[in-house]
């Protein structure tokens, strides 16, 4: 099964009220764990690479790992650059077989964001690659996504139509209260997403796929176990799963998850090492991480995204 762009996936997800998981990948075990989970649940998926992961592993390594995983499992998948920060990076990804790109101009003034996004769309359309744009700013700090809490900005519904019409994007990431990383919503804050903004956008842009970034749920049991292993993840708080389920039934067709994969990976490795002090073969703990990733992705598909049994698997002999 070749990698596909996201248009068909989103169309079906929109009509059938589920969302596609977009999982960040940085190595072979992550790619394999995700692919196996999607094969077992017959779920379409988006493998995404951040600029940080691209620097870590290299675009060719990651693109080829994903292509091999998709060939081996027969799953329905897209390969996407997450938070693409320049036209040049998007172009390089497209040249390396990516079927979808995000150009993140959300920190730019509105018309500069339009100009940059439009340039990427014009190039990508010629290559049959879909483009995600972003309006509004999420809080949170990561390698390439940096926005302190006080600078976060909900998406203004009055801007979305002009943005989509002028750029020609295929999907739009919006800010309604999610954030990147482990400390969403700030200390002592009750998790809250602005569903009123999402509803307004849904009315202004009917049939148009919306993307939610910063959508890890940060499982508290996992956090507590990590704390016991001495990993400093105190006060971590994520987006409650029921809020994501609600969004997935609305116009949200893509839900981005990275931090939950990181937590599951770290816990699996810590646990394996604590329980097997005599073992030093990396295949032991990397294998444990791969299984944990597979379990996590399956749980997301079944309990949150609703994307199970949404394609006919290609049989691989
Ligand atoms: O939203 C961004 C992702 O979580 C990627 O994070 O830049 O640390 O790879 P990263
Ligand atoms: P989390 O940090 O909530 O996993 O968000 C990931 C993300 O938005 C990747 O683009
Ligand atoms: Zn993001």
């Amino acid at each position: 099964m070749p990698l596909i762009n996201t248009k068909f996936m989103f169309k079906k997800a929109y009509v059938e009220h589920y969302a596609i998981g977009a999982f960040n990948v940085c190595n072979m075990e992550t790619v394999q764990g995700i692919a196996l989970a999607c094969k077992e649940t017959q779920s379409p998926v988006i493998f995404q690479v951040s600029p940080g992961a691209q620097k870590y592993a290299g675009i060719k390594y990651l693109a080829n790992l994903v292509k091999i995983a998709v060939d081996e499992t027969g799953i329905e998948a897209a390969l996407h650059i997450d938070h693409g920060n320049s036209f040049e990076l998007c172009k390089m990804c497209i040249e390396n077989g990516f079927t979808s790109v995000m150009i993140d101009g959300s920190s730019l003034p509105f018309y500069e964001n339009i100009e940059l996004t439009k340039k990427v769309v014009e190039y990508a359309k010629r290559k049959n690659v879909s483009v995600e744009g972003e309006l509004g700013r999420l809080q949170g700090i990561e390698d390439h996504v940096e926005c302190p809490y006080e600078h976060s900005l909900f998406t203004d519904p009055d801007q979305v139509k002009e943005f989509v019409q002028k750029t020609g994007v295929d999907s739009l990431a919006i800010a309604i209260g999610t954030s990147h990383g482990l400390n969403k919503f700030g200390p002592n804050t009750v998790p809250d997403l602005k569903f009123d903004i999402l509803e307004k956008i849904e009315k202004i842009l009917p049939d148009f796929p919306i993307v939610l970034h910063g959508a890890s749920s940060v499982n508290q049991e996992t956090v507590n176990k990590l704390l016991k292993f001495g990993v400093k993840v105190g006060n971590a708080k994520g987006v409650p799963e029921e809020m994501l389920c609600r969004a997935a039934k609305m116009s949200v067709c893509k839900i981005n998850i990275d931090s939950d994969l990181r937590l599951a990976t770290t816990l699996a490795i810590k646990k394996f090492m604590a329980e097997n002090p005599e073992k030093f073969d990396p295949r032991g703990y990397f294998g444990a991480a791969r299984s944990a990733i597979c379990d996590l992705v399956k749980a997301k598909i079944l309990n949150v995204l609703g994307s199970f049994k949404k394609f006919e698997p290609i049989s691989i002999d």
Side-chain angles (χ1 to χ4, degrees), residues 24 48 82-83 138 142 179-182 184 212-216 256-260:
N24 286 70
Q48 58 183 15
D82 186 30
H83 295 286
L138 272 67
E142 288 172 13
S179 72
H180 291 110
L182 291 189
K184 308 180 194 297
L212 268 197
H213 282 248
S216 279
N256 284 15
I257 295 162
D258 187 1
S259 296
D260 281 345

Side-chain angles (χ1 to χ4, degrees), residues 225-283:
K225 285 182 185 165
L226 283 166
L227 285 169
K228 283 195 186 133
F229 282 117
V231 184
K232 295 188 172 145
V233 286
N235 296 324
K237 199 190 287 172
V239 184
E241 290 192 343
E242 52 284 9
M243 289 189 189
L244 297 172
C245 288
R246 182 173 167 195
K249 290 192 178 86
M250 297 171 68
S251 55
V252 170
C253 293
K254 173 174 180 269
I255 290 189
N256 284 15
I257 295 162
D258 187 1
S259 296
D260 281 345
L261 295 173
R262 295 177 182 194
L263 291 171
T265 300
T266 307
L267 179 59
I269 292 174
K270 286 274 182 191
K271 191 166 174 285
F272 183 91
M273 286 183 156
E275 288 170 359
N276 301 280
E278 76 292 357
K279 292 196 177 153
F280 61 93
D281 181 341
R283 288 171 292 190

Side-chain angles (χ1 to χ4, degrees), residues 54 59-60 63 80-81 83-103 116-117 119-127 129-131:
Q54 174 244 328
I59 220 72
K60 287 189 194 300
H80 175 80
I81 177 81
H83 295 286
N85 47 17
S86 68
F87 171 79
E88 289 69 29
L89 176 60
C90 291
K91 184 167 178 279
M92 182 177 86
C93 289
I94 293 170
E95 281 162 0
N96 280 285
F98 280 54
T99 53
S100 175
V101 294
M102 172 188 193
I103 178 71
L116 174 63
T117 307
K119 187 175 171 193
V120 172
V121 171
E122 278 166 5
Y123 181 81
K125 286 261 151 90
R126 295 203 297 269
K127 312 278 179 184
V129 166
S130 34
V131 180

Side-chain angles (χ1 to χ4, degrees), residues 156-167:
D156 178 357
D158 292 336
Q159 290 187 327
V160 296
K161 194 164 190 175
E162 185 179 358
F163 185 83
V164 168
Q165 278 179 348
K166 288 199 167 145
T167 58

